[in-house]
Amino acid sequence: MKLATFSPLPSGMPRPGVVLEDRIVDIPAALGPSDENSTMLAIIRAGEPTRARIASLASKPANSIALADVKLHAPIPRPAKNVFCVGWNYLEHFEEGAKKLHDDRKLPDHPVFFSKVPTTVNGPYDPVPFDAAVSTSMDWEVELGVVIGTGGKNIVEADAMRHVFGYTVINDVSWRDIQRRHGNQWHKGKSLDGTCPMGPWIVTADAFDPSDVRVTCRVNGAAKQDSRTRYMYFKIPRLIAELSAGMTLEPGDVISTGTPAGVGYARTPPEFLKPGDLLETEVEGLGILRNPIG
């Protein structure tokens, strides 16, 4: 099942919907508006009974609208908390970064976590803001996003996948000089407004296997990153287990699972996004983000 947040054109209010090929079913209109289906976060928090009612809409496409007649937003337009992110989670990306920074670091024993604030979240087709007065070193990072369904603390790896609601596409757009400027920590350089395009929808966990899918990033049609999730160093169950150790994960929390090799700053010479570029981010089986820069 594909779940999206959309607004009917030209100026409708955002609401959750079920995507059926080239149409989308308005969930509140089809089921009757309620606190449990008013937003994507409400649906995720409501749990299995509400999800089952929504799944039934796939065979009853009443109250549907052509996708061409709606605007798609990020599936969770404003997460309740920061988006959790993972650094150095593909071996080739770890190696290209270490080489570029002349760093002889060893592979980590535990995942590297950082976060992007909620105001970074952007729509699947919306412009990513470019402010040359702040920085001109905007970089790309295709990532598989994991959306938590059932919350928990101290989740063990064997149970971790039971806590997943679904999956989405994320680009962890990063400002590299800002990362270095603040003591080589990542939070500020990852948290400028609009630098987390997400979507186009969430594919629920029962309909998607994340273990070996292609992840690609293109700039103006030219391939920049091309890998598969099987090359993740820390797999999704390990990420959930480590992140939840001593810290409660809640329904609707988003984990961005790391990016493969091919980022701009590690190229020779370095390459960065500029106004007018088109950033395309794709995860096989989930969809494509198309974000103009500027």
Side-chain angles (χ1 to χ4, degrees):
M1 182 166 59
K2 294 179 181 177
L3 299 175
T5 296
F6 75 100
S7 296
L9 295 173
S11 58
M13 293 296 294
R15 64 199 71 185
V18 182
V19 178
L20 306 175
E21 297 183 354
D22 61 348
R23 301 188 68 80
I24 188 165
V25 179
D26 185 326
I27 292 173
L31 296 181
S34 73
D35 290 343
E36 294 183 347
N37 65 29
S38 58
T39 66
M40 188 70 71
L41 271 178
I43 289 170
I44 295 169
R45 290 167 174 165
E48 181 57 31
T50 294
R51 195 171 77 87
R53 292 182 65 212
I54 291 170
S56 70
L57 298 177
S59 60
K60 302 174 184 178
N63 299 292
S64 70
I65 308 168
L67 279 175
D69 295 330
V70 307
K71 173 181 172 61
L72 291 180
H73 305 277
I76 303 174
R78 181 64 183 258
K81 300 188 310 200
N82 287 9
V83 175
F84 298 111
C85 302
V86 183
W88 306 115
N89 202 28
Y90 286 75
L91 293 182
E92 290 181 352
H93 178 51
F94 182 92
E95 292 166 357
E96 72 174 355
K99 180 179 179 181
K100 186 68 177 182
L101 298 173
H102 305 289
D103 192 334
D104 62 353
R105 71 187 68 190
K106 306 301 181 185
L107 289 169
D109 294 325
H110 300 275
V112 175
F113 293 118
F114 60 96
S115 69
K116 297 172 80 77
V117 298
T119 48
T120 62
V121 173
N122 205 343
Y125 312 123
D126 292 335
V128 176
F130 187 101
D131 187 348
V134 176
S135 173
T136 57
S137 62
M138 179 192 279
D139 206 346
W140 53 81
E141 296 193 18
V142 56
E143 307 203 5
L144 169 69
V146 177
V147 181
I148 296 297
T150 303
K153 179 179 177 180
N154 298 325
I155 299 167
V156 298
E157 285 189 53
D159 294 334
M161 298 305 279
R162 299 176 189 172
H163 290 258
V164 175
F165 179 82
Y167 303 90
T168 192
V169 184
I170 290 175
N171 199 303
D172 175 23
V173 175
S174 305
W175 297 87
R176 299 303 187 186
D177 59 344
I178 297 178
Q179 284 183 247
R180 313 292 173 238
R181 186 185 304 162
H182 295 276
N184 205 30
Q185 58 81 30
W186 296 350
H187 179 73
K188 174 64 178 179
K190 302 279 191 172
S191 285
L192 299 195
D193 291 354
T195 54
C196 188
M198 182 188 301
W201 34 67
I202 295 170
V203 176
T204 53
D206 61 315
F208 183 75
D209 180 357
S211 60
D212 183 21
V213 294
R214 191 179 184 188
V215 290
T216 54
C217 180
R218 298 179 293 275
V219 177
N220 300 327
K224 300 298 182 181
Q225 294 176 282
D226 190 346
S227 188
R228 302 190 70 87
T229 55
R230 71 169 179 259
Y231 298 120
M232 282 186 188
Y233 186 59
F234 296 107
K235 310 302 184 186
I236 293 169
R238 174 75 181 278
L239 297 176
I240 292 173
E242 291 258 3
L243 193 57
S244 71
M247 183 178 76
T248 301
L249 294 179
E250 298 178 311
D253 283 349
V254 180
I255 304 171
S256 196
T257 58
T259 200
V263 294
Y265 87 92
R267 292 171 174 265
T268 305
E271 299 177 19
F272 296 111
L273 294 162
K274 59 186 183 303
D277 285 344
L278 177 63
L279 177 64
E280 293 182 295
T281 312
E282 182 172 5
V283 177
E284 179 185 10
L286 292 183
I288 305 174
L289 315 179
R290 293 186 175 92
N291 299 97
I293 305 302

